[in-house]
């Protein structure tokens, strides 16, 4: 303690630090009695080293407000999607890592907002939890394509190996639980337990996957179609007349969700019913009657029970029909085509050794005879006129293959060497005459005047 | 590139039976001395032969042994040992009665198959067709885009939208982007030669418009090809087994994006069996990439 204040003589001298400088100040008159040194060591003092600002008044770096908001958003999304705790913390740490990555430091705010969703998507995929990009885009109210872009940037920036999207079947269960069809909420006719719905929809989804309806398609409309057809088939008497739109309203999804008549979900329903009709036709107790898409809901139960057998039967009948219809055409190529078609169509283990032999056999025959519907030397894959399109040989095809579509034939272009002579007359046709230029300029002038 | 899938022509005199894929010993070969009235005579008459002839005989015997191995050891109908009638047929110095060679080529030319009939890895037989070629060239002088847009019929120029003149010609049907620096990008051609010809035509047009245009550093930057494998493909299976190369997001794009490392080509594979290949600098890369992917796709050919 220093002595009394020299000004007023009071002994009420207190220590009052200013910045990092110790000072003794008299409380009564406020005068400075003595002060300490700024620097800590004598050597510093002697060499008068300046103390940089960040060392003296440095505050610890606080996270930027956008990062804080982003973390809150990530946690909220995890809670909405009912993501377990460990995955939530994984998503949070991933978001922090990604936020600091140079690829995401200077992007627009919107992208940073979507980044949180993309992190959750990545974590869920790695842990095999079904979350679609469509869900994320709906929750964040952005476009699906934008979510995709951010997701792919995230994978590239953090060098993570992309994991595949979960299959349709995995998504089905959580999707079914989204429908409010418990007995208390809807009429008795429409009520359905989630478990039965999941079971039936899973079987339908597997059937759709087997018959090429799933590959390459958006999953959500397909899920909707599977659930709808399953729900109808569980109580066909009361539910057959209910349309897809009405079903969405009943299930509490809202009218706009499934969209207009021509939209994707309706198309998927049509395709699914088409497949069911093809299989339903083979049911032995129908004795060959045609099955209408409108009433196939009654038969879905039986069809799903005997799916494999019906599939085989349907394919065999189709092949026989093809033989009858196009017998001449196929006969002309010396039975090379039916051999390959048989090999191509059968996927079961029994005929598979047969399928190993016949393609090579038929290829040899095709080469020697120079005529084959399975063309060996084709440029661009055009079947010669009058031959069977390869798609017609399959009963179940991906809908994007259209055997009836006419292939565009470009006129043959003469072969060029690239160093030919270029005629002046041809080049003249691309250059305006002075007359034209004058006309063009006058018109432009007039337009400008009119515009002003 | 001409497609040449036929076997090379055999020497005229030798007839190959229909359907025989491995060129073996033709049945009706002039080498077989049927009906020529030749009687097997031992050529080696050790006492009378000179040293030179002896050497020739030895050479011929060696060749015969090689040839008989290649030809599967088909012996003449008369039951002669290969050596004897071969030597008769080959002999040029010893003149035997009635032995006029009915062919011009040496019969002991090994008939090695040049295109094997059934190679170890069977080629697909499908050739991808080129759909688009992008090339660049430097015209070597600064250009006034306003003048070009004014004086050329086939040009459009909207500086607010894009800082280049868009010019089109009819033959070959292509589009070019011409920049004020003198650089030009030519797109839409279906072959390398067409792209080159088109670029030269654009350069000629620019020349005629009064600029000292040259034709420097023509380079093909990208080639796009497409083809159809003619069977549906299970994309979900493909992405599981080739995870490190494939990216399949049905919510974003219906096709699978396969990034092949060697050659460095990106393939878009669709469920309908159509394949698009892009990123090539030379035609061979597209063909090579397709030949690499075809056996993989065949593995996922789960037909219904």
């Amino acid at each position: 303690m220093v002595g009394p204040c020299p000004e007023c003589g009071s002994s009420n001298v207190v220590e009052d630090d200013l910045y990092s400088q110790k000072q003794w100040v008299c409380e009564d008159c406020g005068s400075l009695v003595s002060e300490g040194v700024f620097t800590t060591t004598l050597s510093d003092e002697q060499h008068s080293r300046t103390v940089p600002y960040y060392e003296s008044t440095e505050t610890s770096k606080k996270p930027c407000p956008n990062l804080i908001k982003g973390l809150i958003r990530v946690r909220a999304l995890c809670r909405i999607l009912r993501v377990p705790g460990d995955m939530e913390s994984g998503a949070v740490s991933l978001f922090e890592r990604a936020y600091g990555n140079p690829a995401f430091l200077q992007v627009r705010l919107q992208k940073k907002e979507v980044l949180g969703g993309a992190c959750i998507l990545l974590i869920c995929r790695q842990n095999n939890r079904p979350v679609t990009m469509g869900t994320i885009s709906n929750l964040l109210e952005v476009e699906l394509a934008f979510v995709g872009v951010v997701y792919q940037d995230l994978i590239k920036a953090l060098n993570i190996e992309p994991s595949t999207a979960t299959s349709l079947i995995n998504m089905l269960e959580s999707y079914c639980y989204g429908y409010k069809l418990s007995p208390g909420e809807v009429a008795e006719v429409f009520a359905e337990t989630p478990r039965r719905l999941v079971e039936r929809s899973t079987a339908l989804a597997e059937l759709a996957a087997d018959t090429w309806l799933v590959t390459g398609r958006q999953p959500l409309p397909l899920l909707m179609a599977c659930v709808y057809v399953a729900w109808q088939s569980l109580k066909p008497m009361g539910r057959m007349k209910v349309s897809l739109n009405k079903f969405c309203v009943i299930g509490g999804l809202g009218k706009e969700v499934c969209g207009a008549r021509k939209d994707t979900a309706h198309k998927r329903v049509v395709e699914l019913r088409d497949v069911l009709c093809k299989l339903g036709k083979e049911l032995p107790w129908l004795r060959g009657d045609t099955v209408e898409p409108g009433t196939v809901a009654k038969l879905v139960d039986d069809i799903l029970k005997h799916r494999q057998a019906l599939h085989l039967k349907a394919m065999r009948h189709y092949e026989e029909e093809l033989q009858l219809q196009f017998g001449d055409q196929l006969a002309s190529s010396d039975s090379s085509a039916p051999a390959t078609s048989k090999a191509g169509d059968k996927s079961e283990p029994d005929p598979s050794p047969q399928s190993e032999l016949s393609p090579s056999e038929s290829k040899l025959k095709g080469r020697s005879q120079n005529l084959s519907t399975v063309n060996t030397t084709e440029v661009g894959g055009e079947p010669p006129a009058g031959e069977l399109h390869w798609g017609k040989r399959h009963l179940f095809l991906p809908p994007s293959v259209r055997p009836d579509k006419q292939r565009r034939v470009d006129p043959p272009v003469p072969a060029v060497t690239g160093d030919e002579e270029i005629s002046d007359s041809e080049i003249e046709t691309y250059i305006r005459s002075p007359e034209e230029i004058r006309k063009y300029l006058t018109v432009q002038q007039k337009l400008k005047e009119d515009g002003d | 590139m001409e497609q040449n899938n036929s076997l090379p022509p055999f020497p005229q005199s030798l007839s190959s039976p229909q359907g025989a894929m491995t060129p073996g010993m033709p049945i009706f070969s002039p080498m077989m001395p049927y009906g020529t009235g030749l009687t097997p005579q031992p050529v080696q008459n050790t006492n009378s032969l000179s040293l030179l002839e002896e050497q020739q005989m030895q050479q011929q015997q060696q060749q015969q042994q090689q040839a008989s191995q290649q030809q599967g050891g088909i012996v003449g109908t008369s039951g002669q040992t290969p050596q004897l009638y071969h030597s008769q047929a080959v002999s040029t110095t010893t003149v035997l009665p009635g032995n006029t060679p009915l062919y011009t080529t040496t019969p002991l030319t090994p008939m090695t198959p040049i295109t094997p009939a059934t190679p170890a890895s069977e080629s697909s037989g499908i050739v991808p067709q080129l759909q688009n070629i992008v090339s660049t060239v430097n015209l070597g002088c600064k250009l006034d885009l306003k003048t070009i847009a004014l004086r050329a019929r086939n040009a459009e120029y909207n500086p607010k939208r894009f800082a280049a003149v868009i010019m089109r010609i009819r033959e070959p049907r292509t589009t070019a982007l011409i920049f004020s620096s003198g650089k030009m990008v030519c797109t839409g051609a279906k072959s390398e030669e067409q792209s080159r010809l088109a670029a030269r035509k654009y350069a000629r047009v620019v020349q005629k418009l009064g600029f000292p245009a040259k034709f420097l550093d023509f380079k093909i930057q990208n080639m796009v090809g497409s083809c159809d494998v003619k069977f549906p493909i299970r994309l979900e299976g493909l992405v599981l087994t080739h995870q490190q190369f494939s990216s399949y997001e049905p919510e974003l794009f219906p096709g699978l994006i396969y990034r092949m490392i060697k050659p460095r080509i990106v393939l878009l594979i669709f469920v309908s069996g159509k394949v698009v290949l892009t990123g090539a600098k030379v035609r061979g890369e597209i063909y090579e990439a397709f030949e690499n992917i075809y056996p993989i796709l065949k593995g996922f050919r789960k037909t219904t």
Side-chain angles (χ1 to χ4, degrees), chain A residues 125 133-134 209 212 215-216 218 315 344 376-377 379 381 396 418-420 424 426 429-430 432 436, chain B residues 3 5 122 125 150-151 153 170 193-194 196 200-201 208 230 234 236 248-249 251 254 302-304:
Chain A
R125 281 213 181 156
M133 284 189 195
W212 299 103
T215 314
Q218 293 268 359
M315 281 187 357
T376 49
T377 62
V379 178
F396 293 113
D419 291 316
E420 282 126 340
D424 274 349
E426 189 191 341
T429 62
Y430 293 122
R432 284 191 174 132
E436 266 183 64
Chain B
Q3 260 199 78
N5 273 355
E122 206 170 294
L150 176 66
R151 297 185 51 205
R153 278 192 190 138
R170 288 178 289 271
E193 299 84 20
Q194 281 184 23
R196 191 187 164 81
R200 282 176 57 225
K201 287 192 181 174
K208 282 242 153 62
K230 296 187 176 325
R234 288 265 169 225
E236 306 94 345
Y248 171 53
E249 296 285 343
E251 292 185 83
K302 293 267 181 61
T303 53
T304 52

Side-chain angles (χ1 to χ4, degrees), chain B:
Chain B
M1 187 166 104
E2 273 309 330
Q3 260 199 78
N4 191 10
N5 273 355
S6 56
L7 294 169
F10 274 52
Q12 241 110 42
S13 47
L14 299 171
S15 57
S16 60
Q18 270 294 8
M21 299 325 271
T22 42
M25 173 73 122
I27 302 171
F28 301 108
S29 159
M31 276 208 279
M32 300 246 191
Y34 69 98
T36 56
L38 278 173
T39 49
Q41 288 180 20
V43 183
Q44 281 171 314
N45 214 339
T46 45
N47 297 329
S48 58
L49 279 180
S50 66
L51 257 172
L52 195 61
E53 282 175 317
E54 225 179 355
Q55 271 179 4
Q56 263 186 349
M57 286 307 141
Q58 279 172 1
Q59 270 176 15
Q60 280 162 14
Q61 273 175 25
Q62 279 171 9
Q63 283 176 354
Q64 284 152 30
Q65 274 163 11
Q66 275 178 15
S68 66
Q69 271 170 15
Q70 279 164 357
Q71 288 153 15
I74 297 175
V75 192
T77 46
S78 47
Q80 301 160 332
T81 56
Q83 289 178 339
L84 281 176
Y85 74 69
H86 269 295
S87 65
Q88 281 181 351
V90 168
S91 63
T92 45
T93 50
T94 54
V95 180
L96 295 166
N99 184 18
T100 47
L102 299 170
Y103 45 85
T104 47
T105 58
T106 22
L108 285 186
T109 323
M111 290 192 279
T112 47
I114 295 169
T115 44
T118 44
S121 61
E122 206 170 294
S123 75
S124 59
I126 306 172
V127 182
Q129 246 194 334
L130 288 179
Q131 302 291 351
N132 185 26
I133 312 266
V134 178
S135 57
T136 54
V137 71
N138 185 4
L139 299 176
C141 64
K142 292 272 179 283
L143 302 172
D144 179 13
L145 298 182
K146 281 206 161 52
T147 316
I148 295 178
L150 176 66
R151 297 185 51 205
R153 278 192 190 138
N154 53 341
E156 58 181 87
Y157 179 47
N158 197 346
K160 291 189 198 135
R161 224 178 59 181
F162 191 56
V165 164
I166 302 169
M167 196 182 283
R168 296 183 168 87
I169 56 172
R170 288 178 289 271
E171 183 58 45
R173 212 160 71 91
T174 48
T175 304
L177 303 172
I178 306 177
F179 294 85
S180 54
S181 60
K183 300 252 172 77
M184 183 172 82
V185 180
C186 173
T187 63
K190 299 265 191 232
S191 77
E192 304 90 317
E193 299 84 20
Q194 281 184 23
S195 191
R196 191 187 164 81
L197 179 63
R200 282 176 57 225
K201 287 192 181 174
Y202 287 113
R204 184 68 71 81
V205 171
V206 171
Q207 255 177 11
K208 282 242 153 62
L209 292 174
F211 297 92
K214 300 186 267 299
F215 196 74
L216 310 169
D217 309 322
F218 174 79
K219 183 172 179 218
I220 299 216
Q221 301 290 357
N222 186 26
M223 301 173 77
V224 181
S226 73
C227 58
D228 188 357
V229 299
K230 296 187 176 325
F231 51 81
I233 303 170
R234 288 265 169 225
L235 301 178
E236 306 94 345
L238 181 56
V239 77
L240 280 176
T241 48
H242 289 75
Q243 214 171 30
Q244 59 273 54
F245 308 113
S246 333
S247 154
Y248 171 53
E249 296 285 343
E251 292 185 83
L252 298 178
F253 188 64
L256 187 149
I257 302 169
Y258 191 101
R259 293 179 194 273
M260 199 177 278
I261 301 201
K262 186 170 164 15
R264 226 169 72 92
I265 300 282
V266 174
L267 298 95
L268 303 175
I269 304 169
F270 295 91
V271 66
S272 57
K274 300 242 173 35
V275 180
V276 175
L277 308 98
T278 181
K281 289 273 194 286
V282 293
R283 195 187 273 254
E285 282 175 3
I286 292 208
Y287 296 148
E288 192 188 334
F290 182 68
E291 291 303 320
N292 285 350
I293 202 81
Y294 189 69
I296 297 171
L297 295 180
K298 272 213 294 196
F300 291 96
R301 173 193 191 153
K302 293 267 181 61
T303 53
T304 52

Side-chain angles (χ1 to χ4, degrees), chain A residues 141-162:
Chain A
E141 288 175 2
V142 287
E143 275 177 20
L144 182 63
F146 193 54
V147 177
V149 163
V150 176
Y151 177 72
Q152 275 164 354
D153 284 345
L154 176 69
I155 289 184
K156 221 194 313 182
L158 297 183
N159 242 341
I160 299 172
E161 202 176 280

